[in-house]
């Protein structure tokens, strides 16, 4: 084989993904369509990105209008759409100011830098951030170092220092760290660990975290990259618990597919950063901010956040009714439209089996089926998801109850 023939068989894309054998050419609502016109029910929504589904008319109109007006200027100028979006997000969150970037990892990088600035302002030369086991904060060098997933860290050593690891949902471990680690400046936690398997922070744990941070002068930083933007039945998941964080990051569903992320801070934290200490070329451009504004308006005007709470509770109960008690099920948990079905054994092959049935799901942590359907999911689509997925799980485990009985 010639060199040119060999090169033609090699993908021009860097080998960073194990892709499923399908390509989608069109989306509509909760459905994606391949080139042959086959429809697939999307219960993953681009990993919590397309909360309004695909080709939502209000978002399409905002994209078209802004694309024909102005895409980008630069953050060396004022950007009215950015300032309006910041006012919306600070009003929703109860925080004071906002920095825009393009991805969750970038928003989290901003949070890390703010925490370090905060520590240095207090005279701490080596500020430490407490992070959690099973956490996922991104794939930049700093955010993967903060993550509690050895698979994404392997091969990228030396990792970035300045992080202290603790068990998730364990306030006693943090109290011990407080006693032994005088350089701690912040606790960083996902309100719901998405990549970690839909593991939900207890309300009492979050309230105790706030108290512990106040006691020791630490910042409470919440990663709501996946759980924000209405997915749990509040705009941010922490709003279920009546706490006030110092820093919140979000992305994914904020732009419904257009890249945009936000790092929101309270006034105490905002005052420590100065011009030139952080920035983003594309962050907060007029195009992305106008789309994100329309996403927020649609979420509230269509009461989709309340819908996420009600539909999520219904889906969770239906899965429990259909699956709980089966010896292959370890746990079924969720909050709003973040649902995890944990099996006792690895179940990655269920993703391909579901794809063959034209159902899009995800498996994380090897054993946990992760469901992140769009907030526009209809009742009939929810019924189809429960019926098809429960049938797949039962057949996968050879459950006799899933097989039709022979006629007498």
């Amino acid at each position: 084989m010639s060199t040119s023939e060999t090169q033609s068989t090699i993908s021009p894309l860097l080998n960073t993904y194990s892709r499923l054998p399908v390509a989608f050419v069109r989306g509509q609502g909760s459905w994606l369509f391949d080139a042959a016109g086959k429809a697939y029910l999307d219960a993953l929504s681009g990993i919590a990105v397309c909360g309004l589904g695909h080709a939502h008319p209000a978002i399409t109109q905002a994209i078209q209008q802004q694309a024909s007006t102005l895409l980008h200027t630069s953050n060396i100028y004022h950007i009215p759409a950015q300032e309006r979006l910041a006012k919306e997000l600070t009003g929703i969150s109860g925080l004071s100011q906002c920095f825009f970037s393009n991805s969750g990892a970038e928003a989290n990088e901003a949070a890390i830098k703010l925490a370090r600035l905060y520590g240095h302002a207090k005279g701490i030369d080596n500020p430490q951030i407490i992070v959690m086991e099973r956490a996922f904060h991104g794939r930049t060098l700093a955010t993967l170092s903060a993550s509690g997933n050895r698979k994404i860290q392997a091969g990228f050593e030396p990792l970035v220092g300045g992080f202290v690891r603790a068990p998730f949902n364990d306030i006693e471990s943090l109290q011990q760290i407080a006693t032994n680690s005088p350089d701690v400046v912040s606790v960083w936690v996902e309100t719901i660990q998405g990549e970690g398997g839909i593991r939900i922070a207890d309300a009492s744990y979050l309230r105790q975290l706030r108290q512990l941070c106040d006691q020791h002068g630490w910042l409470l930083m919440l990663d709501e990259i996946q759980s924000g933007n209405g997915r749990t039945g509040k705009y941010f998941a922490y709003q279920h618990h009546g706490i006030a964080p110092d820093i919140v990051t979000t992305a994914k569903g904020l732009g419904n597919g257009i890249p945009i992320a936000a790092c929101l801070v309270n006034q105490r934290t905002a005052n420590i950063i100065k011009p030139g200490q952080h920035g983003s070329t594309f962050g907060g451009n007029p195009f992305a901010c106008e789309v994100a504004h329309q996403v927020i308006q649609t979420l509230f005007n269509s009461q989709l956040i309340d819908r996420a709470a009600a539909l999520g509770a219904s889906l969770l109960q239906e899965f429990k009714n259909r699956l709980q008690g089966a010896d292959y099920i370890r746990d079924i948990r969720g909050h709003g439209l973040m649902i995890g079905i944990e099996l006792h054994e690895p179940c990655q092959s269920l993703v391909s089996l579901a794809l063959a049935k034209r159902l899009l799901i995800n498996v994380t942590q090897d054993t946990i089926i992760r469901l992140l359907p769009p907030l526009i999911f209809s009742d009939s689509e929810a019924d189809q998801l429960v019926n098809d997925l429960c049938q797949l799980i039962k057949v996968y485990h050879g459950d006799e109850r899933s097989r039709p009985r022979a006629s007498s």
Side-chain angles (χ1 to χ4, degrees):
M1 182 180 291
S2 68
T3 302
S4 61
E5 289 174 327
T6 302
Q7 290 175 340
S8 68
T9 64
I10 299 174
S11 171
L13 298 172
L14 196 63
N15 187 27
T16 55
Y17 301 100
S18 296
R19 300 179 192 270
L20 291 166
V22 65
F24 299 113
V25 299
R26 183 172 67 87
Q28 186 65 52
S30 301
W31 298 85
L32 285 168
F33 299 83
D34 65 15
K38 296 177 182 177
Y40 296 73
L41 182 60
D42 188 359
L44 191 60
S45 55
I47 314 182
V49 168
C50 298
L52 299 179
H54 306 284
H56 190 286
I59 306 308
T60 299
Q61 182 179 4
I63 289 170
Q64 292 172 337
Q65 182 173 336
Q66 192 61 38
S68 66
T69 304
L70 183 65
L71 294 179
H72 177 82
T73 56
S74 168
N75 281 297
I76 64 174
Y77 309 111
H78 286 282
I79 302 174
Q82 182 184 115
E83 294 174 10
R84 179 181 62 182
L85 181 60
K87 287 180 180 178
E88 288 175 317
L89 287 171
T90 53
I92 291 167
S93 66
L95 296 173
S96 300
Q97 291 181 305
C98 184
F99 171 78
F100 290 109
S101 54
N102 312 288
S103 68
E106 291 175 77
N108 284 341
E109 285 275 351
I112 293 168
K113 292 176 73 173
L114 285 164
R116 290 191 172 190
L117 282 172
Y118 175 77
H120 286 297
K122 294 177 66 177
I124 297 173
D125 293 332
N126 186 26
Q128 304 289 306
I129 301 172
I130 300 174
V131 292
M132 303 299 147
E133 295 174 357
R134 295 197 186 95
F136 182 85
H137 296 297
R139 294 183 182 272
T140 64
L141 199 54
T143 56
L144 71 83
S145 297
S147 297
N149 184 335
R150 183 58 193 153
K151 288 182 180 179
I152 70 166
Q153 296 172 342
F156 297 109
E157 299 83 359
L159 301 178
V160 174
F163 301 107
V164 179
R165 191 89 47 204
F168 182 64
N169 251 343
D170 183 346
I171 198 68
E172 291 183 3
S173 68
L174 299 181
Q175 292 167 338
Q176 292 174 1
I177 291 171
T179 301
N180 300 318
S181 303
D183 290 341
V184 168
V185 298
S186 175
V187 177
W188 196 11
V189 64
E190 293 162 280
T191 319
I192 300 175
Q193 291 186 333
E195 295 290 329
I198 314 298
R199 301 185 189 279
I200 304 165
D202 295 336
S204 60
Y205 172 72
L206 291 172
R207 287 193 289 267
Q208 288 175 301
L209 273 184
R210 179 67 274 175
Q211 294 169 1
L212 190 67
C213 288
D214 290 341
Q215 179 183 347
H216 293 281
W218 299 344
L219 300 177
L220 176 57
M221 306 198 311
L222 298 181
D223 180 332
E224 295 239 12
I225 304 300
Q226 193 167 134
S227 59
N229 306 296
R231 181 152 290 277
T232 68
K234 296 284 187 182
Y235 194 88
F236 292 109
Y238 73 83
Q239 293 174 322
H240 291 281
H241 310 299
I243 61 168
D246 298 292
I247 298 177
V248 175
T249 57
T250 195
K252 290 193 180 290
L254 180 57
N256 208 62
I258 299 300
I260 185 169
C263 179
L264 294 151
V265 302
N266 63 11
Q267 197 59 49
R268 175 177 64 163
T269 313
N271 288 335
I272 64 176
I273 197 163
K274 302 293 185 291
Q277 289 186 306
H278 196 53
S280 170
T281 296
F282 297 104
N285 64 64
F287 178 68
C289 286
E290 188 60 40
V291 173
H293 162 72
Q294 189 58 60
V295 169
I296 291 173
Q297 293 299 304
T298 303
L299 286 171
F300 283 104
N301 292 342
S302 301
Q303 299 182 318
L304 289 171
I305 298 175
D306 292 337
R307 167 72 175 167
L311 182 59
S314 175
L315 276 169
L316 188 62
Q317 189 58 53
E318 284 299 311
F319 280 119
K320 288 181 176 180
N321 291 343
R322 297 279 291 271
L323 294 172
Q324 206 154 44
D327 57 9
Y328 44 80
I329 298 293
R330 182 185 295 273
D331 190 24
I332 301 172
R333 54 185 176 265
H335 198 172
L337 292 176
M338 296 184 73
I339 296 173
I341 302 172
E342 184 171 6
L343 280 59
H344 283 285
E345 298 178 354
C347 57
Q348 188 65 45
S349 58
L350 270 171
V351 174
S352 295
L353 293 174
L355 182 67
K357 296 291 185 181
R358 301 184 196 171
L359 173 64
L360 306 181
I361 63 170
N362 176 242
V363 167
T364 188
Q365 298 292 308
D366 295 327
T367 61
I368 302 162
I369 300 167
R370 177 173 51 163
L371 302 173
L372 301 163
L375 279 63
I376 59 162
F377 229 44
S378 68
D379 289 342
S380 62
E381 289 163 346
D383 289 342
Q384 182 174 338
L385 170 60
V386 172
N387 290 333
D388 290 355
L389 184 55
C390 288
Q391 182 77 4
L392 278 167
I393 294 170
K394 290 177 180 180
V395 170
Y396 180 74
H397 284 88
D399 191 333
E400 294 295 333
R401 291 171 294 178
S402 69
R403 299 176 183 174
R405 295 180 179 178
S407 58
S408 56

